[in-house]
Amino acid sequence: MTQPSNELRQTIDCGFNFKNSYLNLPDLFYTKLAPVAVSSPDMVVFNEAMANSMDLNFQQLNQNEQAMLFSGNSLPKGAEPFAQAYAGHQFGHFTMLGDGRAHILGEHIMSDGKRVDVQLKGSGTTPYSRRGDGRAAIGPMLREYIISEAMHHLGIPTTRSLAVVTTGEDIIRETYLPGAILTRVASSHIRVGTFELVAAKQDKQLLKELLDYTVNRHMPEIKGESNIVLSFLKAILDRQADLIVNWMRVGFIHGVMNTDNM
């Protein structure tokens, strides 16, 4: 299916307040492009409590309009969709990677000033797809929805899930499966692998730009430290150790904990 450009897509105003600071970084870090449109999106589950906590209002939208929005066929007002580039150590090997089936719509600012990424997962191919189809099946998307919400309510830092829609299209895995798209919300999608991408380029100026951006966004409290780089590294190590302890205490197992997933 030929996808409409951002300009040709219907835009919907439902309370999103996008301020897309990540796009101020050099374009090595992302590619701007719209989600690939699907044939017949349909709502499966919508996290109304989370939408309310994000100051969003979908009451004026009927179910079909919601499905169009959460599939990427329509875009929320202010969205500037893009796919992120990053690298990673996968099973012991370094690989250049990126969002092969996801599009970030933008950074939503809530009334308390908190900034979160809003991402569609399973939303079509990108320049980073590496021969993948860019899609996702309904089972894994519902599983992520359920597990991420469970982890959140157990007090464990996690991505959140706002909605799941089916696409009206089958995808091929070992067999034909119904396609689906998850709307994921996270404090950001900056990864260990984002830093590995810059390290592979051996560009210290780019590395400094990414470090400064990440510290300003996530750890402004360390900006006064005598060695910000070491303070940043220590904070990341401490947070990841705490996170994994929390996983272990509830019996959660991360299936592929490569650096592109952390």
Side-chain angles (χ1 to χ4, degrees), residues 206-252:
L206 273 180
L207 184 61
K208 184 178 186 305
E209 287 186 55
L210 178 61
L211 175 68
D212 289 346
Y213 175 81
T214 306
V215 168
N216 285 330
R217 182 164 175 177
H218 289 291
M219 300 178 188
E221 68 277 5
I222 71 170
K223 292 172 68 173
E225 299 288 336
S226 58
N227 190 323
I228 292 179
V229 174
L230 288 179
S231 297
F232 176 74
L233 181 60
K234 181 180 184 302
I236 293 297
L237 292 171
D238 287 346
R239 289 187 186 192
Q240 290 196 356
D242 287 345
L243 178 64
I244 292 169
V245 167
N246 273 303
W247 288 349
M248 293 177 70
R249 73 176 171 81
V250 299
F252 174 73

Side-chain angles (χ1 to χ4, degrees), residues 11-55:
T11 57
I12 296 175
D13 187 357
C14 49
F16 280 108
N17 178 27
F18 286 124
K19 307 291 183 183
N20 301 322
S21 63
Y22 195 83
L23 296 179
N24 294 326
L25 289 170
D27 58 12
L28 168 73
F29 294 104
Y30 57 84
T31 298
K32 290 185 178 181
L33 77 170
V36 179
V38 300
S39 64
S40 184
D42 190 30
M43 290 297 302
V44 177
V45 60
F46 171 59
N47 192 337
E48 185 172 356
M50 185 181 179
N52 292 337
S53 73
M54 294 174 64
D55 311 310

Side-chain angles (χ1 to χ4, degrees), residues 1 3-4 9 33-39 67-75 81-84 99-105 118-127 129 132-137 141 165-167 169 171 173 179-184:
M1 174 179 292
Q3 61 166 319
R9 294 182 191 228
L33 77 170
V36 179
V38 300
S39 64
M68 292 289 284
L69 180 69
F70 290 122
S71 67
N73 282 17
S74 301
L75 292 175
F82 64 93
Q84 283 183 310
D99 290 331
R101 58 172 183 168
H103 297 72
I104 292 177
L105 299 180
V118 180
Q119 182 196 69
L120 301 181
K121 181 176 179 181
S123 47
T125 55
T126 77
S129 296
D133 63 10
R135 294 304 186 186
M141 296 302 94
V165 299
T166 50
T167 62
E169 302 168 1
I171 63 171
R173 294 298 182 257
I181 296 172
L182 168 76
T183 301
R184 181 161 65 181

Side-chain angles (χ1 to χ4, degrees), residues 120-152:
L120 301 181
K121 181 176 179 181
S123 47
T125 55
T126 77
Y128 316 111
S129 296
R130 297 192 300 166
R131 300 183 301 277
D133 63 10
R135 294 304 186 186
I138 183 66
M141 296 302 94
L142 287 175
R143 182 165 62 245
E144 180 168 340
Y145 183 104
I146 292 167
I147 291 176
S148 65
E149 287 305 291
M151 298 279 272
H152 170 72

Side-chain angles (χ1 to χ4, degrees), residues 178-196:
I181 296 172
L182 168 76
T183 301
R184 181 161 65 181
V185 179
S187 60
S188 84
H189 287 81
I190 299 170
R191 298 162 164 84
V192 174
T194 315
F195 284 84
E196 288 185 291

